């Protein structure tokens, strides 16, 4: 009798749990999601195809050098690369003399423990990119790992850089006009409307404002779209500089594991072939 009662109690609680889960699922599907400004007008990253994409991806050295040029001439004023050393730039195709010349343009703080003074010295290849001294409110994010830290990676960076828009008249994919649907959503003074940013309003003004903002050494036409693609590719490299080596190592490892699995299975069949039934 006690056993039957236990089974009935267990069945009751199991059914109650299933009913509760089912009700929650139905409510989630049937009830409309509350529409906020962000939910209605936030855009997902635009497609961006880089040579580093996929399991066989490799970096385009020329594009990386162009991206580094965009970073140096446009972004470096506000954003640092604290996880990158100047000697790492050799991976972009720069020779030793070029790396030394790039490093020497920077001023690296050096602390003297004897006097307590901080002296600024020209950078050397062993030095990391120095922190940015920023005079405004807050501190712009370091860009070393931003391509891995943001959902969408380089596609998000590319979309953000090319996504600044005039808020007046801006429509979402359903054709709804932002300020007509949400009059209170007007971008505050000092911020800039960008539908690819999480809350639509970003403190950073558009950094890429016109074609030809930089002059590429390889002669590539520096359109806003091209510059955004190039700096996004460069920041993908700063976030994952060992990507090529990882891809090159990964496939032989997978092949070895598959071979080892097949070998182990055949050994199992051989060892136990005459043991079954005993």
């Amino acid at each position: 009798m006690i056993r039957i009662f236990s089974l009935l109690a267990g069945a009751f609680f199991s059914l109650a749990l299933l009913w509760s889960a089912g009700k929650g699922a139905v409510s989630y599907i049937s009830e409309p999601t509350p529409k906020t400004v962000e939910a209605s007008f936030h855009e997902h990253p635009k497609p961006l195809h880089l040579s580093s994409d996929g399991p066989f991806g490799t970096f385009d050295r020329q594009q990386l050098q162009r991206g580094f040029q965009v970073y140096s001439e446009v972004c470096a004023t506000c954003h640092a690369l604290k996880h990158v050393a100047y000697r790492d730039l050799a991976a972009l195709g720069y020779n030793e003399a070029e790396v030394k010349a790039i490093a020497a343009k920077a001023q690296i703080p050096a602390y003297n423990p004897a006097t307590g003074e901080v002296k600024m010295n020209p950078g050397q290849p062993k030095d990391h990119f120095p922190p940015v001294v920023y005079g405004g409110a807050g501190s712009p994010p370091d860009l070393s790992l931003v391509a891995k830290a943001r959902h969408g990676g380089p596609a998000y960076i590319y979309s953000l850089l090319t996504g600044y828009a005039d808020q007046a008249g801006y429509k979402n994919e359903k054709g709804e006009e932002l300020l007509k649907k949400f009059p209170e959503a007007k971008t505050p003074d000092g911020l800039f409307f960008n539908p690819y940013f999480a809350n639509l309003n970003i403190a950073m003004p558009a950094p890429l404002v016109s074609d030809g903002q930089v002059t590429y050494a390889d002669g590539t036409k520096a359109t806003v779209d091209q510059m955004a693609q190039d700096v996004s590719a460069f920041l993908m490299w700063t976030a994952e500089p060992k990507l090529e080596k990882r891809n090159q190592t990964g496939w032989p490892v997978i092949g070895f594991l598959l071979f080892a699995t097949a070998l182990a299975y055949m050994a199992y069949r051989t060892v136990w072939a005459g043991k079954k039934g005993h």
Side-chain angles (χ1 to χ4, degrees):
M1 184 61 123
I2 295 175
R3 187 175 180 182
I4 294 174
F5 179 76
S6 299
L7 290 173
L8 290 174
F12 171 77
F13 284 113
S14 298
L15 288 172
L17 182 62
L18 288 172
W19 180 81
S20 177
K23 184 178 179 182
V26 170
S27 298
Y28 178 80
I29 295 171
S30 60
E31 292 180 6
T33 304
K35 288 297 182 181
T36 61
V37 183
E38 291 83 359
S40 296
F41 289 89
H42 180 255
E43 302 281 356
H44 295 291
K46 295 182 281 188
L48 176 65
H49 303 290
L50 300 175
S51 63
S52 57
D53 294 342
F56 298 99
T58 59
F59 288 117
D60 179 341
R61 264 60 186 176
Q62 278 194 314
Q63 184 172 45
L64 295 184
Q65 290 191 18
R66 293 196 303 268
F68 173 61
Q69 186 177 348
V70 175
Y71 165 79
S72 300
E73 297 184 21
V74 179
C75 310
T77 305
C78 299
H79 297 277
L81 293 174
K82 66 181 180 182
H83 294 293
V84 181
Y86 287 103
R87 63 188 172 196
D88 296 334
L89 296 177
L92 274 61
Y94 293 110
N95 59 40
E96 184 178 352
E98 290 172 326
V99 170
K100 287 182 177 179
I102 292 170
K105 294 178 181 178
Q107 291 294 304
I108 307 297
Y111 174 71
N112 187 333
T115 63
E117 296 179 343
V118 177
K119 184 180 179 182
M120 305 302 288
N121 297 322
Q124 299 180 37
K126 65 180 179 64
D127 294 318
H128 282 69
F129 281 70
V132 173
V133 179
Y134 186 71
S139 179
D142 181 273
L143 296 184
S144 306
L145 305 176
V146 69
K148 300 296 288 186
R150 299 293 187 270
H151 178 69
Y156 166 78
I157 300 169
Y158 165 72
S159 301
L160 187 75
L161 292 174
T162 58
Y164 287 84
D166 185 359
Q167 190 182 39
Y170 189 84
K171 298 180 180 180
N172 63 13
E173 59 182 11
K174 296 180 180 179
E176 300 169 321
E177 194 168 324
L178 172 59
L179 293 181
K180 286 183 178 178
K181 186 173 183 180
F182 297 101
E184 71 282 4
K186 182 172 172 51
T187 298
D189 292 340
L191 298 180
F192 303 88
F193 177 70
N194 192 316
Y196 295 96
F197 193 64
N199 68 359
L200 309 181
N201 299 314
I202 186 172
M204 179 179 72
L208 302 176
V209 294
S210 63
D211 295 347
Q213 195 168 336
V214 302
T215 302
Y216 283 139
D218 65 1
T220 299
K221 186 176 181 181
T223 62
V224 169
D225 189 81
Q226 183 68 56
M227 290 186 287
Q229 290 187 46
D230 294 340
V231 77
S232 299
F234 170 70
L235 292 176
M236 182 62 200
W237 171 80
T238 65
E240 198 165 3
K242 303 298 184 183
L243 178 144
E244 289 177 324
K245 187 174 182 180
R246 190 193 70 211
N247 287 349
Q248 292 167 0
T249 305
W251 287 108
V253 169
I254 292 174
F256 171 77
L257 291 175
L258 291 173
F259 173 75
T261 301
L263 193 64
Y265 177 73
M266 289 187 290
Y268 161 77
R269 292 293 301 270
T270 301
V271 171
W272 293 96
K275 306 296 182 182
K276 293 183 177 180
H278 294 284

